[in-house]
Amino acid sequence: MKNVFYKSTLLFGFLFVIFSCKNSTGDDKLNQTLANGTTEVSLFIATNGQLAFQVTKNQKVVLDTSLLGLKVNDKHLGKNVEIALLEQKEIQIQYPLNGIKSEASYTGDLHTYKVSEADGTDWKLEFQLSNEGVAYRYVVSGQGTQHVQGEESSFKIPSQTKVWYFERDSDWKLKSHAGEWLSADISEMPTVSKMGAIQGLTLTCELPQGGYALLAEAALYNYSGMRLEAVGNNTFKANFEEGDAGFDVTGDVTTPWRCILLADTLNDLANNTMVASLNPAPDPKLFTDTDWIKPGKSVWHWWSGKYVDYKEEHDMVDDAVELNFSYNMVDDGWERWPNKWTKVTELSNYAKEKGIGIFIWKHSKEINFPEDDYAVMGHFLDSVKQTGAVGVKVDFMNGQSKSIISFDEALLRKAAERQLMVNFHGCQQSSGEYRTYPNEVTREGIRGLEVNHMKEGPLTASHNAALPFTRYVTGHGDYTSLGLTEIGETTWAHQLATLVTFYSPFNCIAENTQFLLKNKSIQPALDFIQTVPSVWDETFVLPQSKIGELAAIARRDGKDWYLGVLRSGATQEMIIDCSFLGDGEYTAEIFTDDTEAEHIDLKGLNKEADLRQWDTAVPFKKSTETVSKEKTLTVHLAEHGGAVIKFIKK
């Protein structure tokens, strides 16, 4: 881990803010403006007396009058206040990243304000500006138990903004964050969902002036996860699962960062690391070394048969070896094995001899007991460690209340103490926790491929083409890529491309291992499936990309590049500018939709499949060319199709 450097400039004394009326009909504006490049934040008192702010970029409004404040211990904080700038400092950090790039580099300006209430109560407001966006948080000092009853935090979006949000027609929408990514005009957000006006994070906004803003939170610890309620007037307001009942926090109340990520292009958006960068660095006592945290792909039996027996998992280890994968994800069912711990130990020992690591599944309700610092959880993890398994998949947290967030962090901490990796399922989206706890190697909080097995499925191509610019911006996602035997409206080349366009350090591959190894139609792509990485050194989004319509993403691994293309919509000829490549020549292995070939009959290939009307698939075809960064390639994309190219440096 590289050192964190802070350049601090202490301002002598307090800079007391004087509020002045800008015009007779507008809000009271603050004379002082915070700036970073072309991004500016104005702090002021709104007409209702509440502390507020506004964000502009390139002199265009990104967030209009948006309120600040919270309610703690029955006190409404942030109304009719005075503020003073305590400190301003520059933050420069670099740290290794398992995901879109090998290293994140972040520079921001931190402004810390003292906020004084009329009754003498003081608290702090922190704003951080960088070329990646704007973030703020509240810090309310206190001892013992403090009771948080909500926030005034709001986000007023410009008119004519297209908002991307996830939708699910059940109460699972906000339990699992596994909704389909759709879009609507900001004015429609209060009524667009049958499930009500509350949306889960993240929200990606296509701004009318061009560019993008993404609403998120970062460093979610010792607090409840924020949702956003569309309250009208193009405004979202902070909302929490506990509602009016609120939640307790021990000691200081330090909220997560409320983030407005800003990007001129989709390449800037997909490469934004502000959320991770706002999380604390790993505890060096917990992570003295991280050699035991190893990215890699995993086999998974669930796609072909949900409940597994020992022999099947034993065979899966052999298949993982043949596929050059690193792990075997043993899902629900192992606890019904006779002498389960003995059998898991035997499986782990066998896998270790083969160079394969074992993850095992657990329902969260069976270990979520806070007593004695989660002693039950600790005993379970001790047992896992004793078997020789290397990680756990913990499922069905089903929410983001303060108690669940505390459970999540306890699991990460206790797993790290035992050098175990963690895969979260049935959970909210990432808030960058993987920086503080790098043993979090993936999490769900995403509408992944398993939905193809469900009545509400299958996934749409537009959902897939939206994911890199929505859910994946804030962190890895356990989508469980590559389902060739139940593809819905997509194609085989589209499915292959998800191995590049989506990312997860622990990349759990859905498809039946024997199908991958033995089906003749798959064999031309087998080497690609075996060698495609699960983390990357560099990411570049091609400029043709458009949220929900086309995701074309190039990623570098060492000297080689991989390009994945996901199409939603009619057939399309796509010209690929290869200028992202390095110098010299590359051998390009190209997999595209073979629209002239006979469709693959999917019936009977997967006993778990519910094919509906999509019972055939457009296959892929492979070709090879020599290319360089001066050249272009043309690929034909079928309806809802895709392409993938592996560029091998000569």
Side-chain angles (χ1 to χ4, degrees), residues 194-205:
K194 294 180 181 179
M195 301 312 299
I198 298 172
Q199 300 292 342
L201 294 177
T202 57
L203 296 176
T204 298
C205 302

Side-chain angles (χ1 to χ4, degrees), residues 564-588:
V565 179
L566 303 177
R567 170 66 174 150
S568 172
T571 60
Q572 177 183 346
E573 292 287 338
M574 180 181 176
I575 298 175
I576 298 169
D577 183 346
C578 295
S579 59
F580 58 85
L581 297 173
D583 293 333
E585 291 188 331
Y586 293 76
T587 299

Side-chain angles (χ1 to χ4, degrees), residues 83 104 174 229 240 350 384 433 449 484 489 578 590 593 619 626:
I83 69 173
L174 293 175
E229 181 179 5
F240 299 92
Y350 178 74
V384 172
E433 298 87 348
L449 206 62
L484 300 169
E489 67 181 16
C578 295
I590 307 166
D593 296 311
T626 297

Side-chain angles (χ1 to χ4, degrees), residues 4 58 92 156 183 217 241 311 318 402-403 419 492 513 531 538 540 599 642:
V4 179
N58 298 321
Q92 294 182 343
K156 185 175 181 180
S183 65
E217 69 179 341
E241 187 176 323
K311 183 181 184 307
D318 294 333
K402 165 64 168 57
S403 62
Q419 295 195 343
W492 273 14
T513 52
T531 58
E538 185 180 353
F540 175 72
H599 284 203

Side-chain angles (χ1 to χ4, degrees), residues 298-303 305-320 327-334 337 343-344 346-348 350-351 356-361 513:
S298 177
V299 298
W300 186 42
H301 189 277
W302 186 91
W303 183 257
K306 293 182 175 65
Y307 299 106
V308 297
D309 62 31
Y310 177 79
K311 183 181 184 307
E312 288 172 331
E313 293 303 320
H314 194 277
D315 293 342
M316 291 291 281
V317 171
D318 294 333
D319 289 350
Y327 299 105
N328 177 16
M329 177 64 248
V330 181
D331 218 290
D332 188 13
W334 69 272
W337 296 350
K343 300 306 289 183
V344 172
E346 292 176 2
L347 180 66
S348 297
Y350 178 74
I356 304 298
I358 297 294
F359 274 66
I360 61 174
W361 180 93
T513 52

Side-chain angles (χ1 to χ4, degrees), residues 103-344:
E103 184 177 79
S105 180
Y106 174 84
T107 300
D109 295 320
L110 175 63
H111 305 260
T112 301
Y113 290 91
K114 175 185 175 183
V115 185
S116 299
E117 302 285 332
D119 67 357
T121 302
D122 292 335
W123 51 283
K124 291 180 182 179
L125 171 65
E126 297 181 348
F127 262 90
Q128 195 162 148
L129 284 69
S130 80
N131 63 349
E132 296 185 87
V134 174
Y136 69 88
R137 69 178 178 182
Y138 313 117
V139 180
V140 182
S141 299
Q143 296 180 346
T145 299
Q146 299 202 74
H147 191 61
V148 179
Q149 294 151 292
E151 295 183 17
E152 290 295 328
S153 308
S154 69
F155 306 84
K156 185 175 181 180
I157 310 298
S159 298
Q160 300 182 327
T161 294
K162 180 189 283 189
V163 179
W164 287 89
Y165 65 99
F166 62 82
E167 183 57 48
R168 196 173 187 180
D169 192 12
S170 73
D171 65 351
W172 282 99
K173 172 180 175 177
L174 293 175
K175 289 180 179 179
S176 64
H177 283 220
E180 178 184 356
W181 282 92
L182 304 172
S183 65
D185 186 84
I186 179 60
S187 63
E188 302 174 47
M189 293 309 298
T191 57
V192 73
S193 173
K194 294 180 181 179
M195 301 312 299
I198 298 172
Q199 300 292 342
L201 294 177
T202 57
L203 296 176
T204 298
C205 302
E206 294 190 63
L207 299 170
Q209 65 265 34
Y212 307 88
L214 186 143
L215 305 183
E217 69 179 341
L220 174 54
Y221 309 107
N222 196 32
Y223 207 78
S224 182
M226 184 177 71
R227 297 99 58 92
L228 292 176
E229 181 179 5
V231 295
N233 194 27
N234 298 347
T235 300
F236 292 105
K237 186 178 185 299
N239 176 278
F240 299 92
E241 187 176 323
E242 293 87 349
D244 293 338
F247 52 91
D248 289 336
V249 171
T250 301
D252 293 348
V253 174
T254 301
T255 71
W257 292 94
R258 281 68 186 91
C259 304
I260 308 98
L261 307 186
L262 301 175
D264 293 329
T265 67
L266 289 179
N267 182 55
D268 293 337
L269 184 63
N271 278 284
N272 194 301
T273 59
M274 187 176 195
V275 166
S277 299
L278 290 170
N279 278 257
D283 182 346
K285 294 180 181 178
L286 272 181
F287 298 99
T288 305
D289 71 81
T290 55
D291 293 343
W292 51 278
I293 303 172
K294 299 178 180 179
K297 298 190 292 293
S298 177
V299 298
W300 186 42
H301 189 277
W302 186 91
W303 183 257
S304 305
K306 293 182 175 65
Y307 299 106
V308 297
D309 62 31
Y310 177 79
K311 183 181 184 307
E312 288 172 331
E313 293 303 320
H314 194 277
D315 293 342
M316 291 291 281
V317 171
D318 294 333
D319 289 350
V321 173
E322 195 167 353
L323 285 165
N324 195 36
F325 288 7
S326 302
Y327 299 105
N328 177 16
M329 177 64 248
V330 181
D331 218 290
D332 188 13
W334 69 272
E335 291 180 281
R336 288 184 286 276
W337 296 350
N339 302 313
K340 60 182 181 181
W341 289 116
T342 299
K343 300 306 289 183
V344 172

Side-chain angles (χ1 to χ4, degrees), residues 74 156 346 362 431 438 485 493 511 545 581:
D74 293 322
K156 185 175 181 180
E346 292 176 2
K362 187 66 173 177
S431 300
T485 54
E511 191 52 76
S545 298
L581 297 173

